[in-house]
Structures are given as C-alpha cells and as structure tokens.
Amino acid sequence: MAPRSFWKGYLKLSLVTCPVAMTPATTEGEKVRFHILNRNTGNRVVSQYVDAVSGAPIGEDDAAKGYPRGEDDYVLLEDEELDALSLESTRTIDIETFAPAASVDWIWFDKPHYLVPDDPIGVEAFSVIRDAMKATGTVGLSRLVMYRRERAVMVEPRDRGLVLWTLRFADEVRDPKDYLDKIGAETPNAKALNLISKLIEERKSHWDPAMTRDPVQAQLLDIISGKKKEHTPARGKKQASAAPSNVVNIMDALRKSIDAEKRGAKRR
C-alpha cells in the first residue's frame, strides 16, 4: 500500500495551476532502530536538556536557539522570529525558470519526492506541464518551504509523474576544483587501458536494486529473532581478511583478472 502524502498544494506555471500531492521517494521506515534502556529496570531512558554550567535541568519553555558570536556569548533567536522568515511558497510550486536537465549537476540533489495529481480535474494540466518538459529536455526550478526552511527545488518528469528534488544550499556544496584538479593529467598506458576495458565488459550487468542490500541489517534481524526465541546465538569470530599484497605489475594483474572473469563466465 502506497504511503499517504505528507504535503498537498499546487503546481503552477504561469496561468496553469493544478492540485498536487507529494510523498518522499525514499524511506528509512524499514531500518532497525533501537531504544536506549536502563539495563537494571528495562525502562526506556529519556533525554533532557541540562544547563552546561550549573547542571540543572531546564524546561522546554526555557530552551532557546542561539548563534555564537564569541566565546560563551550568543545571540538569542525566538521561534516567532524564525517562523516569520517563512515565505508564501508553502503551498505553491510556482515554476518560473526552466533549465536543460543535464545542466543541474547531481551533487546539488538532496531529497527526492514523488509528485502526482491530487484531483482528476487537474490531471490534464499536470500532464501538459510534464510532457512539455519531456519534449524540451528541461527541468523546472522553483522555491518551496519544506522541512521548516525555504529551499530551492527542481521538478523533473519521471514516467507518468514528476519527481521533486530539494536542492542543497550553496554553502553545502564544495568546489570540485579544490580536490579533483589536484589529480595529475597522466596519460594511461594504452595496453592497460585496453585490458581494463575488457575487464569492464566482462563484469558489465544490468542495475539491480538488490545490489544495495544492507547485510548488517539482515544480521541484526537474525540476532533479534534469536533473542525473541530466548536463544542467544553463538558469536563466531570473524576471520580477518588478509591484507592485499602490493601489485608490482599492473599488466599481469589485469590479465589474471580477465582470465578469472572468463573462467567464471564459462562455469556460469
């Protein structure tokens, strides 16, 4: 069953408007999560703010947000002041700019959300906006208040719907030139390049979401299942992997890798 939408509003392009619903495209609901317990009583432990100097606990009404301006010196900001910063873009995705889809680098993508029509009457307008972006190879750029902050968002067509990405803030993205430009422009050995290409071809496969499975999650579930049955599984010592030896001749290593891939393909 599809999860309920967590946001409803309008998609707007000039005079064309349609009601839409948005749902996060990813979830952590299946992750194994733990509570902190008092080992002696089995009761859950609750967290509480305490004064860093006096050690006295403070109530929720006494907690305030502060911006450091010096050592042990802060500017206090009230919730009312922060809420006043929210603009009118809380319920309308007003697309005012379009950009070539390839021009928005992946590093700016933050969180994906599925965007679908929320009223049968608005399906036609929704479809026109979606198909026009497909035909022109563009994405729509807008701003929207999400997760308590106004964010730049990008809307792209995907199948019969749209995907809305929140985009990272400018101060969150580091300039790749500071890192990638330091790599030397050495021309690789032609024979080595050819062997690597063959190795890639041998290992080429279609993408499968199963490739992203979390083995630790599965092991945790096994442990929890054993605990539920009042049986504590024996802890086997994990054998340490031998450290890889230094490869003196990359050509020999590549040839051996390709031969191994071919032998494996024949067995399959």
Side-chain angles (χ1 to χ4, degrees):
M1 183 175 65
R4 292 184 297 175
S5 59
F6 87 123
W7 182 96
K8 291 188 176 184
Y10 296 89
L11 177 65
K12 183 175 183 293
L13 174 56
S14 187
L15 300 179
V16 179
T17 304
C18 61
V20 291
M22 182 162 44
T23 304
T26 60
T27 178
E28 294 188 354
E30 300 302 318
K31 288 285 188 183
V32 174
R33 298 182 183 278
F34 299 101
H35 295 291
I36 304 301
L37 307 178
N38 181 336
R39 184 187 298 276
N40 297 319
T41 65
N43 298 329
R44 287 182 57 183
V45 174
V46 296
S47 59
Q48 185 178 30
Y49 286 116
V50 297
D51 189 293
V53 176
S54 68
I58 62 172
E60 185 177 343
D61 293 338
D62 294 323
K65 294 181 175 65
Y67 180 84
R69 61 183 175 187
E71 186 174 357
D72 297 328
D73 185 16
Y74 301 88
V75 175
L76 294 183
L77 296 172
E78 302 298 335
D79 289 338
E80 294 78 8
E81 295 175 294
L82 297 175
D83 292 339
L85 297 177
S86 298
L87 303 183
E88 295 180 357
S89 55
T90 55
R91 292 297 166 193
T92 302
I93 307 166
D94 190 357
I95 303 177
E96 296 185 350
T97 304
F98 290 88
S103 67
V104 185
D105 200 3
W106 63 269
I107 200 169
W108 293 96
F109 296 173
D110 186 21
K111 294 180 180 179
H113 308 75
Y114 294 130
L115 200 63
V116 299
D118 193 38
D119 190 314
I121 299 175
V123 171
E124 183 178 4
F126 181 92
S127 301
V128 167
I129 296 173
R130 176 200 65 205
D131 290 352
M133 284 195 285
K134 283 184 178 180
T136 56
T138 58
V139 294
L141 301 174
S142 183
R143 301 192 71 84
L144 188 66
V145 174
M146 294 181 65
Y147 308 110
R148 296 183 60 86
R149 294 186 69 178
E150 189 190 53
R151 297 171 175 269
V153 297
M154 185 193 82
V155 179
E156 65 172 347
R158 180 71 61 88
D159 298 329
R160 295 182 182 179
L162 297 170
V163 172
L164 181 143
W165 285 88
T166 55
L167 301 179
R168 300 186 187 279
F169 295 102
D171 58 2
E172 293 179 330
V173 177
R174 290 173 172 159
D175 191 342
K177 294 181 179 179
D178 294 339
Y179 307 90
L180 305 185
D181 283 3
K182 296 178 180 179
I183 301 173
E186 181 180 348
T187 302
N189 179 279
K191 291 183 179 179
L193 185 61
N194 182 53
L195 288 172
I196 283 287
S197 299
K198 290 181 179 179
L199 188 58
I200 290 173
E201 288 297 325
E202 290 287 343
R203 296 191 177 191
K204 188 183 292 184
S205 176
H206 290 290
W207 159 252
D208 184 348
M211 297 175 180
T212 65
R213 65 183 183 276
D214 184 354
V216 174
Q217 175 100 344
Q219 293 175 36
L220 283 173
L221 291 174
D222 287 342
I223 293 174
I224 292 169
S225 178
K227 293 280 188 179
K228 286 181 178 179
K229 297 176 182 177
E230 297 184 350
H231 169 69
T232 304
R235 294 182 179 179
K237 292 185 178 180
K238 188 176 180 180
Q239 189 172 0
S241 301
S245 59
N246 294 329
V247 178
V248 177
N249 190 321
I250 188 172
M251 300 294 289
D252 290 342
L254 290 173
R255 290 191 182 97
K256 290 178 181 178
S257 297
I258 292 174
D259 289 341
E261 292 290 331
K262 290 180 178 178
R263 288 195 297 272
K266 289 180 180 178
R267 287 195 295 271
R268 291 194 293 269

